[in-house]
Amino acid sequence: MGGKLWGGRFSSRPDAMVDRFHASIGFDKRLWREDIESSIVYSRMLAKQGIISDSEAATIVKALREIHDEIEEGAFAFDESLEDIHTHIEDALIRRIGQLGEALYTGRSRNDQIALDTRLYVKNAIRELIRLVAELQVTLVELAEKNQDLIMPGYTHLQRAQPVLLAHHLLAYYEMLKRDKERLEDSLKRTSVLPLGSAALAGTTFDIDREFLCRELNMESVSANSMDAVSDRDFVVECIFCTALLMAHLSRLCEELILWSSQEFGFMEISDSFATGSSIMPQKKNPDIPELIRGKTGRVYGHLTALLTMMKGLPLAYNKDMQEDKEALFDTVDTVASSLTILSMLLKEVEFKGENMLKATQQGYLVATDLADYLVGKGMTFRKAHQVVGDIIRTAEAGNKELHQLDMKEMKDFSPLIEEDVYEWLDPRSCLERRNINGGTGPEAVKRALSKAREELLS
């Protein structure tokens, strides 16, 4: 059967609908670089092992490079009747150099070939994502340095809790991204495994040099079990898991950007370059980019769930179900890369409204914990101090006052331990100064954290 790598066994062509349903060229053509790269190395290995001659290998490599250039220039015609990228490359090779092109597939199956191509793609994708995560980390550090003195409310349960530095808040996302980057880096060693030599599932009878292939393709190790090698997609699932968690962190940051840029918060403004308007309400300025990233997070979660579901019931070894990993993988990589890129661009142009943030720290009794700590310092147990401060707040609320607006007589009605020095403890800035412990929100602690982040990004 012309055009089919597997047609010898069959006496008739499949139905046209079967061809269309079966074909993967619509999406796996993205693997053309990996397929050609691995084929060039494979042909050199065949010559090294004496399976083909040096001149034959040179002819094959020259033709493969011509195909590479043709695809890169957009001059290559992809044909839906040729079901996958491997068939396209082989067909183009044979049209150029004749029967010699068929020799390239000695000892190799599409099963170990697609496993290799996908691993090479995932390796490159992970490295690019690591680079983009690092860029976003740099953006966050620069934003924190630029706004190092701005005070804002820290929240729990979306209720104002205690004063914090904006820089400290931003560096929390730096830390999340650092873990995301570490996870991606760690996954590389499980991705960088050479499956070539596994053939369809049982290994090949030809004397191929797997260690040579491993070195030349910059893989870290050779697969230990041929059946596992052709049926393993753990590395794809792991990659998407790592990016799903990364997207969760981006989504959390985007949710805060959406809240902070609302009129209710008024903490920041997104540049006009990264906002949109309403077709009916002229006054609107919508945070569409953060909203889209928040929405695309669910898309990546869906791909992770789809792959886990696809793999959960598959017997060894290769099954056609596994073809479904490509679209999920490609869309995940595209979605995460574009989200990282545009979020970094957006953050470079945001403007924070320091006065509004500071004002918010002066409303809502954010210094209550410090008042309790003050009483503990005077000899009261913390449980008793917690109760006393709660009583003070209840009275302040009834009088529509903040804690610093209560006079000394009102304060002493609750405890004789309270003296004039209490008002220093009720200043949001002094609250920060008392929190210079490593990892805290104090100005000196944040300076140390920024310095450490800079060192990490340079290492």
Side-chain angles (χ1 to χ4, degrees), residues 49-331:
Q49 296 300 98
I51 297 171
I52 61 175
S53 68
D54 289 341
S55 63
E56 287 173 328
T59 300
I60 291 171
V61 169
K62 180 175 181 293
L64 286 170
R65 286 180 174 149
E66 290 171 355
I67 296 167
H68 176 285
D69 293 344
E70 189 176 326
I71 297 175
E72 194 164 63
E73 292 164 5
F76 188 90
F78 288 96
D79 181 354
E80 286 189 1
S81 69
L82 301 175
E83 62 196 71
D84 56 33
I85 189 60
H86 319 301
T87 310
H88 274 77
I89 301 301
E90 181 173 356
D91 178 77
L93 189 61
I94 292 170
R95 281 190 279 107
R96 278 171 170 75
I97 62 176
Q99 191 173 1
L100 175 59
E102 298 177 1
L104 177 60
Y105 295 86
T106 303
R108 188 170 66 163
S109 164
R110 285 190 297 176
N111 291 1
D112 58 354
Q113 190 175 354
I114 189 59
L116 174 62
D117 289 355
T118 307
R119 285 179 180 276
L120 292 173
Y121 173 87
V122 172
K123 274 183 64 178
N124 291 332
I126 288 173
R127 288 191 177 113
E128 176 62 9
L129 292 175
I130 288 170
R131 185 187 70 80
L132 291 172
V133 170
E135 281 190 2
L136 182 53
Q137 286 181 291
V138 170
T139 300
L140 285 168
V141 169
E142 289 175 347
L143 196 60
E145 289 173 337
K146 179 182 176 183
N147 298 281
Q148 201 165 333
D149 297 327
L150 296 188
I151 303 173
M152 67 174 293
Y155 293 81
T156 64
H157 308 279
L158 206 56
Q159 305 293 316
R160 292 176 189 171
Q162 290 180 289
V164 298
L165 285 175
L166 170 63
H168 188 60
H169 196 127
L170 294 174
L171 287 176
Y173 287 100
Y174 170 88
E175 293 296 329
M176 294 180 211
L177 291 172
K178 182 167 75 172
R179 296 191 296 273
D180 290 324
K181 193 165 63 174
E182 289 169 351
R183 273 184 284 270
L184 286 166
E185 289 168 345
D186 190 60
S187 72
L188 278 172
K189 64 187 177 189
R190 286 178 290 280
T191 301
S192 191
V193 178
L194 180 88
L196 273 187
S198 302
L201 79 160
T204 179
T205 60
F206 290 91
D207 182 27
I208 70 171
D209 188 339
R210 301 190 73 199
E211 285 68 28
F212 173 86
L213 293 170
C214 186
R215 287 193 305 274
E216 294 299 305
L217 289 167
N218 294 314
M219 304 297 267
E220 290 189 19
S221 61
V222 172
S223 61
N225 184 287
S226 60
M227 295 181 75
D228 175 54
V230 297
S231 62
D232 170 32
R233 293 297 183 271
D234 296 8
F235 65 98
V236 178
V237 176
E238 183 175 10
C239 174
I240 297 180
F241 166 75
C242 290
T243 57
L245 193 48
L246 166 58
M247 287 297 290
H249 295 150
L250 300 190
S251 184
R252 294 182 71 182
L253 174 54
C254 285
E255 173 66 11
E256 300 208 279
L257 298 178
I258 293 163
L259 289 171
W260 293 349
S261 63
S262 68
Q263 289 181 333
E264 283 71 16
F265 277 73
F267 289 176
M268 58 163 282
E269 185 164 355
I270 294 173
S271 165
D272 287 357
S273 303
F274 294 94
T276 64
S278 165
S279 62
I280 191 172
M281 295 171 284
Q283 83 281 12
K284 292 295 295 298
K285 183 175 179 181
N286 300 326
D288 281 7
I289 297 304
E291 289 175 351
L292 279 169
I293 293 172
R294 188 177 60 181
K296 288 176 184 293
T297 301
R299 181 171 176 161
V300 175
Y301 288 2
H303 290 320
L304 176 60
T305 301
L307 259 66
L308 288 168
T309 305
M310 179 194 77
M311 294 299 297
K312 75 176 182 62
L314 297 186
L316 294 177
Y318 181 83
N319 294 272
K320 192 67 173 180
D321 313 48
M322 291 157 66
Q323 179 173 288
E324 292 296 304
D325 67 342
K326 307 299 180 302
E327 289 177 286
L329 171 62
F330 297 152
D331 187 67

Side-chain angles (χ1 to χ4, degrees), residues 12-75:
S12 63
R13 294 188 63 86
D15 185 276
M17 178 62 182
V18 172
D19 269 346
R20 288 193 298 272
F21 192 73
H22 185 265
S24 60
I25 190 58
F27 47 86
D28 73 12
K29 62 185 176 184
R30 285 183 61 159
L31 296 173
W32 67 267
R33 286 187 178 85
E34 290 80 8
D35 202 75
I36 291 175
E37 175 193 358
S38 59
S39 293
I40 287 173
V41 173
Y42 195 75
S43 67
R44 289 171 46 218
M45 183 278 300
L46 290 175
K48 173 182 173 296
Q49 296 300 98
I51 297 171
I52 61 175
S53 68
D54 289 341
S55 63
E56 287 173 328
T59 300
I60 291 171
V61 169
K62 180 175 181 293
L64 286 170
R65 286 180 174 149
E66 290 171 355
I67 296 167
H68 176 285
D69 293 344
E70 189 176 326
I71 297 175
E72 194 164 63
E73 292 164 5

Side-chain angles (χ1 to χ4, degrees), residues 394-431:
R394 190 165 58 251
T395 298
E397 282 180 327
N400 197 27
K401 293 181 178 181
E402 289 294 320
L403 292 176
H404 67 277
Q405 294 173 326
L406 296 173
D407 61 33
M408 183 51 54
K409 180 181 181 305
E410 290 173 304
M411 288 279 199
K412 279 190 170 291
D413 284 344
F414 293 94
S415 174
L417 296 175
I418 298 176
E419 303 291 342
E420 286 292 339
D421 61 346
V422 72
Y423 293 106
E424 179 190 346
W425 283 72
L426 303 181
D427 177 6
R429 291 189 184 277
S430 69
C431 293

Side-chain angles (χ1 to χ4, degrees), residues 349-410:
E349 296 192 24
V350 299
E351 289 294 332
F352 287 101
K353 300 178 180 180
E355 289 186 10
N356 289 353
M357 290 191 291
L358 179 60
K359 183 178 179 181
T361 66
Q362 297 166 343
Q363 300 171 345
Y365 312 105
L366 277 72
V367 295
T369 302
D370 285 75
L371 179 53
D373 290 346
Y374 169 84
L375 290 170
V376 171
K378 297 285 187 175
M380 189 179 291
T381 66
F382 184 81
R383 288 298 166 214
K384 177 62 176 175
H386 188 285
Q387 179 184 337
V388 169
V389 173
D391 292 339
I392 295 173
I393 289 172
R394 190 165 58 251
T395 298
E397 282 180 327
N400 197 27
K401 293 181 178 181
E402 289 294 320
L403 292 176
H404 67 277
Q405 294 173 326
L406 296 173
D407 61 33
M408 183 51 54
K409 180 181 181 305
E410 290 173 304

